[in-house]
Amino acid sequence: MSAAPVGLRGGAVSGTAPGAAPGPRRASTRRRLFDAAVTLIAEQGFSATTVDEIAERAGVAKGTVYYNFASKNVLYEELLRDGIDLLADSLRQAADSATARGGTRIDALDAMIRAGLDFIARSPALTQLYVAELWRTNRTWRATVQSVRGRALGVVESVLRDAVRAGELTDELDVPLTASALLGMVLVAALDWLSFQPHRSVEDVHASLSRLVQGRVGATTGR
């Protein structure tokens, strides 16, 4: 599967201070490198993908890769961080928009499901890599994966806790586990949809997952 651009953020890269946003030209170069890397690594694996291949796919010199990232490992780590940060932002914006329109926290969860599906449909290769990394414990970037996982889960957990405080969900709800289950459901269901049921529309997939959430999580309040 090919991936759409996963976006850019500053980070601990060669020549860029942590948290500092690169200039427009460098941001464009980093975008091309992220796009090239995520596609190649999804196609043939991290170990089999070389810096030369990433540079060739991105249309830049090999030295440009090392100018922007200290190593292939750093590039991949930054790619994961950037992509999942964008996913977390999409989930938060969807939840905030739902509640701003007067919706319940369950409505916010439903909006987050749709936002997650839309994001994954735009960046399937990134999602594929992220899901694969969740099961690996021997990578040098394991701490980064745990960190970005925590940020995405934190958005879902905050909505669940708000729902519990508002009485929309039972206070017996296991918030961390439920958040993991909801995020995992969206990730795996979306990848299955794109790989094996591409004829289905995003509206159809969202409706099915929405009914599942309304019937399982929302059922605690008799919805």
Side-chain angles (χ1 to χ4, degrees):
M1 291 182 290
S2 62
V6 296
L8 296 168
R9 293 181 185 277
V13 298
S14 176
T16 302
R25 178 177 294 181
R26 190 168 186 184
S28 176
T29 300
R30 282 164 55 87
R31 178 183 294 277
R32 294 205 306 274
L33 291 171
F34 278 157
D35 293 346
V38 74
T39 303
L40 286 167
I41 294 170
E43 289 174 351
Q44 58 193 33
F46 177 81
S47 298
T49 299
T50 66
V51 172
D52 292 280
E53 288 174 318
I54 293 171
E56 182 179 1
R57 180 69 66 93
V60 301
K62 181 177 179 180
T64 301
V65 180
Y66 290 115
Y67 176 74
N68 285 274
F69 304 97
S71 66
K72 184 177 74 170
N73 280 21
V74 171
L75 189 162
Y76 188 48
E77 188 172 354
E78 287 295 312
L79 183 157
L80 290 172
R81 179 183 291 113
D82 180 83
I84 304 308
D85 276 355
L86 286 173
L87 171 60
D89 287 345
S90 295
L91 298 178
R92 168 53 66 193
Q93 290 169 13
D96 289 346
S97 294
T99 53
R101 293 192 299 268
T104 66
R105 277 72 176 182
I106 302 300
D107 294 327
L109 289 173
D110 186 64
M112 291 166 75
I113 290 173
R114 177 56 188 263
L117 291 173
D118 286 339
F119 180 91
I120 295 165
R122 292 193 304 270
S123 303
L126 170 69
T127 309
Q128 177 185 337
L129 294 180
Y130 171 67
V131 170
E133 291 301 334
L134 289 176
W135 307 108
R136 299 189 175 111
T137 59
N138 61 342
R139 300 290 204 184
T140 59
W141 51 79
R142 180 64 179 174
T144 295
V145 173
Q146 291 177 322
S147 175
V148 297
R149 172 183 176 273
R151 181 156 188 261
L153 281 177
V155 176
V156 184
E157 288 180 9
S158 68
V159 174
L160 289 172
R161 289 195 175 92
D162 286 345
V164 171
R165 283 193 291 267
E168 295 176 22
L169 296 176
T170 175
D171 57 10
E172 296 179 353
L173 184 74
D174 186 326
V175 170
L177 185 59
T178 302
S180 295
L182 289 172
L183 183 60
M185 175 189 72
V186 173
L187 291 172
V188 175
L191 289 178
D192 185 87
W193 157 47
L194 295 172
S195 297
F196 302 109
Q197 305 178 65
H199 59 280
R200 299 183 65 174
S201 67
V202 65
E203 290 79 13
D204 182 27
V205 176
H206 173 226
S208 295
L209 297 185
S210 178
R211 283 192 291 270
L212 180 61
V213 170
Q214 294 285 354
R216 298 300 181 184
V217 176
T220 57
T221 58
R223 288 175 58 87

